[in-house]
Amino acid sequence: MELGSILQLLENKAILVTGATGFLAKIFVEKVLRVQPNVKKLYLLLRAADAKSATQRLHNEILGKDLFILLKQKWGTNLNSLVSEKVTVVAGDLCREDLGLQDDSSILREEMFNQIDFIVNLAATTNFDERYDVALALNTLGAEHILRFAKKCVRLKVLVHVSTAYVSGEKAGLILEDPYKMGETLNGTPGLDMEVEKKLVEEELNCLRAQGAPEEEITLAMKNLGIQRARMYGWPNTYVFTKAMGEMLLGHLKENLSVVIVRPTIVTSTFKEPFPGWVEGVRTIDSLAVGYGKGKLTCFLGDLMAIVDLIPADLVVNAIIVAMVAHANQPCDIIYQIGSSVRNPVRNSILQEMGFLYFSQKPWIDKNGKPVKVSKALVLGDMDSFHRYMAIRYLLLLKGLELANKALCQYFRDKYLRLRQKINFVMRLVELYKPYLFFRGVFDDMNTEKLRMAVRESGAEADMFYFDPKCIDWDDYFLNIHLPGVVKHVFK
């Protein structure tokens, strides 16, 4: 694979970015504007009622973030003119056909059809426990909607769709960069059909609404339906199931369109750019760091020796950009898995060890101004240990409260209900995360390595578009970059 100058290929190009307020999308937008301000246009699809609301979201949820501090320093008062010239917000909705563009957007729509060179689809709901109707609409049907839109873009060179490496479910061993065929399932159960899934969701919603079910009950029913359908076909949760179906639709409907699928593993805070440690929201492993640092998490469920596949967000964004320009002038249908488990593996034990080391040296200060003391988390290495722990620590107390309520006319009823709700919540979370706490797979990245080699061979821009996980010292990253970043940007 030969790769020319990435900066030159980005120059005077128009790029549509969906899910523009998302974590990776913001980093993508910042990187492009910072390294190639001569990009022709960035069209940012934002879910909004109108252009005014979309513009407010651009300034509040994208440009207003600390992430853009280098860009602000570089451009100063000229940043607003750069943004107004290079960035166009598009009020729409990926869940709807034609991206939900309004009737009065016909001029903008035609402009996009005639100008767009690249599309990067980053819109997704990453919640494992999402409502099935929401996840199906965005992660699955959204992929179809962006593909149909892409086919109308006369200058389009490639559509880059960002999925997840965990569409593999709970596979063990070496997981290849292979596509899913339409209707393929992980457990061999036949009958997976997107139209059937759509109809099932509509019928269930209609039935619940006809019964006058409250919104809370509808939400729970939709969440349960998603988990049920995912597990029926071999996927552990609604998120990866709907993302896998999105990939299937792209492969089935793409025809002669160039499509690149990027599958990141667990995305963490930035490694280097625009500065180390930027992260937003409580991401997968960060929920453990937040709970542990604040003294609320005293045990760790999982195999400490199992590999946890982590990849910093800036490496993912660099891989997206390189994959996009690498396939600008050649037809393609390829998958890139972006992770660290083959090139530079790290084990679950680092979460326990570095968490203890960091929060012992720099304890979290609670709302009363007192440092929170942490001790090494108790490790529960299998589900039997977890169930014993829960029985001793919580279930015996719950049973005691139940008996006391019977004897004392429901005196402890509120306390009993709160504890039962907490236990049910924990058990549901464990069921959702269990496949990843004991994960036995590593992600092949042969295609990605060829992409890295092409960047290295192309010369000078290799340092600008780095995405080799071998450059990461994981102990240093956790202790001096990731955990400080989580404390600064997430512990609020």
Side-chain angles (χ1 to χ4, degrees):
M1 179 191 296
E2 288 189 13
L3 186 65
S5 167
I6 297 164
L7 291 179
Q8 197 174 321
L9 281 162
L10 287 173
E11 188 173 1
N12 204 33
K13 297 298 190 299
I15 308 169
L16 169 62
V17 182
T18 70
T21 58
F23 179 54
L24 285 176
K26 281 199 270 273
I27 297 171
F28 178 90
V29 169
E30 191 279 339
K31 176 89 179 193
V32 172
L33 286 175
R34 178 163 46 85
V35 303
Q36 185 45 286
N38 292 324
V39 66
K40 182 192 283 184
K41 187 73 73 175
L42 288 173
Y43 294 99
L44 306 185
L45 183 69
L46 299 168
R47 186 178 288 181
D50 50 42
K52 184 181 177 182
S53 302
T55 302
Q56 285 177 339
R57 291 196 71 190
L58 169 69
H59 290 284
N60 295 339
E61 299 176 43
I62 301 177
L63 300 175
K65 298 294 181 179
D66 293 344
L67 178 71
F68 287 82
I69 192 166
L70 280 187
L71 207 59
K72 289 171 184 173
Q73 289 171 356
K74 180 180 177 180
W75 286 87
T77 55
N78 294 322
L79 181 61
N80 286 339
S81 61
L82 174 75
V83 169
S84 61
E85 181 188 350
K86 302 295 181 180
V87 177
T88 296
V89 292
V90 182
D93 186 351
L94 194 67
C95 296
R96 295 164 59 192
E97 292 182 8
D98 215 12
L99 308 190
L101 298 183
Q102 297 163 351
D103 294 336
D104 59 2
S105 304
S106 58
I107 296 173
L108 175 58
R109 185 188 292 111
E110 288 305 312
E111 178 190 316
M112 292 166 72
F113 287 156
N114 291 317
Q115 295 294 324
I116 288 172
D117 297 286
F118 302 107
I119 296 176
V120 181
N121 182 29
L122 282 153
T125 171
T126 59
N127 184 356
F128 288 2
D129 197 21
E130 185 61 90
R131 284 175 56 139
Y132 192 35
D133 54 334
V134 173
L136 189 70
L138 186 52
N139 294 347
T140 304
L141 302 176
E144 179 181 352
H145 295 154
I146 196 66
L147 181 70
R148 295 194 186 283
F149 188 87
K151 287 181 178 180
K152 298 174 186 176
C153 296
V154 295
R155 293 168 52 97
L156 189 75
K157 293 170 174 58
V158 65
L159 163 62
V160 180
H161 173 76
V162 180
S163 183
T164 169
Y166 293 95
V167 290
S168 60
E170 298 175 70
K171 285 181 185 174
L174 187 66
I175 299 162
L176 302 178
E177 294 167 299
D178 287 343
Y180 284 102
K181 297 182 180 70
M182 195 66 171
E184 181 180 347
T185 62
L186 293 183
N187 59 10
T189 300
L192 176 58
D193 184 316
M194 271 95 261
E195 287 302 316
V196 169
E197 297 305 307
K198 245 172 90 174
K199 191 175 179 184
L200 186 69
V201 164
E202 288 167 4
E203 288 175 352
E204 183 71 13
L205 281 172
N206 289 338
C207 181
L208 287 163
R209 284 166 182 157
Q211 294 169 2
E215 197 58 33
E216 190 177 329
E217 186 181 323
I218 293 173
T219 295
L220 184 58
M222 284 292 108
K223 286 185 175 186
N224 289 337
L225 181 63
I227 294 291
Q228 174 200 329
R229 299 302 290 179
R231 291 180 179 168
M232 177 177 172
Y233 293 113
W235 279 272
N237 58 61
T238 308
Y239 167 54
V240 293
F241 176 47
T242 52
K243 289 298 279 185
M245 288 193 289
E247 286 193 18
M248 291 176 199
L249 281 172
L250 287 175
H252 182 66
L253 300 172
K254 67 179 283 297
E255 297 174 320
N256 60 351
L257 191 75
S258 286
V259 174
V260 170
I261 292 177
V262 174
R263 292 176 179 165
T265 54
I266 298 170
V267 182
T268 57
S269 64
T270 53
F271 176 55
K272 285 198 288 190
E273 290 187 6
F275 52 84
W278 189 75
V279 67
E280 187 174 56
V282 182
R283 311 193 68 76
T284 316
I285 62 164
D286 300 338
S287 56
L288 299 176
V290 170
Y292 178 70
K294 291 188 174 182
K296 294 177 180 178
L297 184 70
T298 56
C299 66
F300 175 82
L301 173 63
D303 179 359
L304 290 186
M305 296 313 293
I307 291 171
V308 55
D309 198 316
L310 308 174
I311 191 75
D314 48 336
L315 274 70
V316 178
V317 164
N318 287 337
I320 290 170
I321 293 171
V322 173
M324 182 178 78
V325 300
H327 297 286
N329 299 311
Q330 52 180 303
C332 68
D333 181 8
I334 193 165
I335 293 170
Y336 292 109
Q337 291 183 161
I338 316 294
S340 60
S341 54
V342 168
R343 306 279 159 190
N344 187 11
V346 59
R347 301 189 184 277
N348 275 325
S349 56
I350 200 170
L351 305 177
Q352 183 203 35
E353 292 162 5
M354 292 301 110
F356 176 67
L357 192 57
Y358 179 82
F359 288 110
S360 296
Q361 294 172 355
K362 299 177 181 177
W364 171 249
I365 307 301
D366 68 16
K367 61 184 179 183
N368 298 316
K370 295 182 178 179
V372 175
K373 291 182 180 179
V374 296
S375 55
K376 262 204 168 173
L378 171 70
V379 178
L380 305 171
D382 53 49
M383 289 304 294
D384 287 343
S385 301
F386 171 72
H387 288 303
R388 282 196 298 272
Y389 175 83
M390 289 297 292
I392 293 167
R393 181 146 188 165
Y394 297 109
L395 296 177
L396 285 175
L397 175 59
L398 190 70
K399 190 66 179 175
L401 286 171
E402 185 183 355
L403 293 172
N405 277 331
K406 288 178 181 177
L408 299 170
C409 302
Q410 302 298 311
Y411 183 79
F412 296 107
R413 183 175 180 275
D414 288 347
K415 190 172 184 179
Y416 170 81
L417 291 174
R418 281 197 303 272
L419 181 60
R420 190 176 70 178
Q421 186 178 26
K422 184 178 180 180
I423 291 170
N424 288 341
F425 176 72
V426 168
M427 297 303 284
R428 188 177 180 98
L429 276 184
V430 166
E431 277 302 307
L432 286 170
Y433 283 95
K434 181 174 68 174
Y436 308 104
L437 299 170
F438 300 97
F439 194 69
R440 291 288 181 269
V442 294
F443 294 98
D444 174 50
D445 64 349
M446 191 62 72
N447 290 340
T448 307
E449 179 58 16
K450 289 175 185 173
L451 202 60
R452 284 191 283 260
M453 287 171 62
V455 176
R456 286 194 290 267
E457 289 167 7
S458 71
E461 293 170 356
D463 289 341
M464 185 181 291
F465 296 99
Y466 56 91
F467 57 103
D468 189 343
K470 280 187 176 180
C471 67
I472 303 168
D473 175 329
W474 287 112
D475 285 359
D476 179 70
Y477 171 74
F478 265 89
L479 201 58
N480 298 313
I481 296 175
H482 183 67
L483 289 173
V486 170
V487 168
K488 181 176 181 179
H489 301 289
V490 179
F491 272 45
K492 294 176 181 175

